[in-house]
Amino acid sequence: MQIMEERKDHCVTLTVSGRLDVETSATLEQEIAKWLPSPVVWSLVLDFSAVEYISSAGIRVLLSAQKKMKENHEMIIRNPSTFCKQVFDVTGADIFLKIEYKSWE
């Protein structure tokens, strides 16, 4: 798994690629922990367009991060891959996570 970080104003975008599983989820958890909660970061965007696999360990990291968000902060999963979207749908994680899909307009 690779994570690229981009910060612009009060938004941090983490672009994640590869496999998010039991072996790599701690890395993402540590990266997210740097920003949550933060008085200078209001929005954390996780670009999942290149995540080819996500396990229950990865889902746990996302749900845990979502719980840490304050009322005036947001975490967005952006453009999840087809596999991730299916896992979010089947597990019900999409109910708790804010997910933005590609707009084809």
Side-chain angles (χ1 to χ4, degrees):
M1 178 185 67
Q2 293 183 335
I3 303 172
M4 294 187 341
E5 178 183 306
E6 179 183 343
R7 183 167 177 203
K8 184 175 181 182
D9 299 325
H10 298 287
C11 178
V12 171
T13 300
L14 301 178
T15 302
V16 183
S17 61
R19 295 177 58 88
L20 182 52
D21 55 26
V22 71
E23 293 179 13
T24 60
S25 61
T27 302
L28 180 61
E29 189 170 35
Q30 291 170 355
E31 191 67 29
I32 290 172
K34 292 187 336 188
W35 302 108
L36 297 181
S38 169
V40 296
V41 176
W42 300 338
S43 180
L44 178 66
V45 176
L46 303 172
D47 184 331
F48 269 35
S49 58
V51 174
E52 57 195 45
Y53 176 83
I54 186 168
S55 72
S56 59
I59 297 289
R60 182 196 57 79
V61 168
L62 297 177
L63 293 174
S64 175
Q66 183 66 47
K67 286 175 96 174
K68 292 177 185 174
M69 297 304 293
K70 301 262 184 198
E71 203 172 279
N72 57 345
H73 294 75
E74 68 178 347
M75 184 179 84
I76 302 167
I77 309 295
R78 184 168 290 155
N79 300 328
S81 66
T82 302
F83 183 84
C84 286
K85 181 184 179 321
Q86 290 172 344
V87 171
F88 294 153
D89 291 346
V90 168
T91 62
D94 58 337
I95 295 169
F96 302 101
L97 299 171
K98 182 173 182 181
I99 302 173
E100 291 181 352
Y101 296 98
K102 294 178 183 174
S103 174
W104 300 105
E105 297 176 17

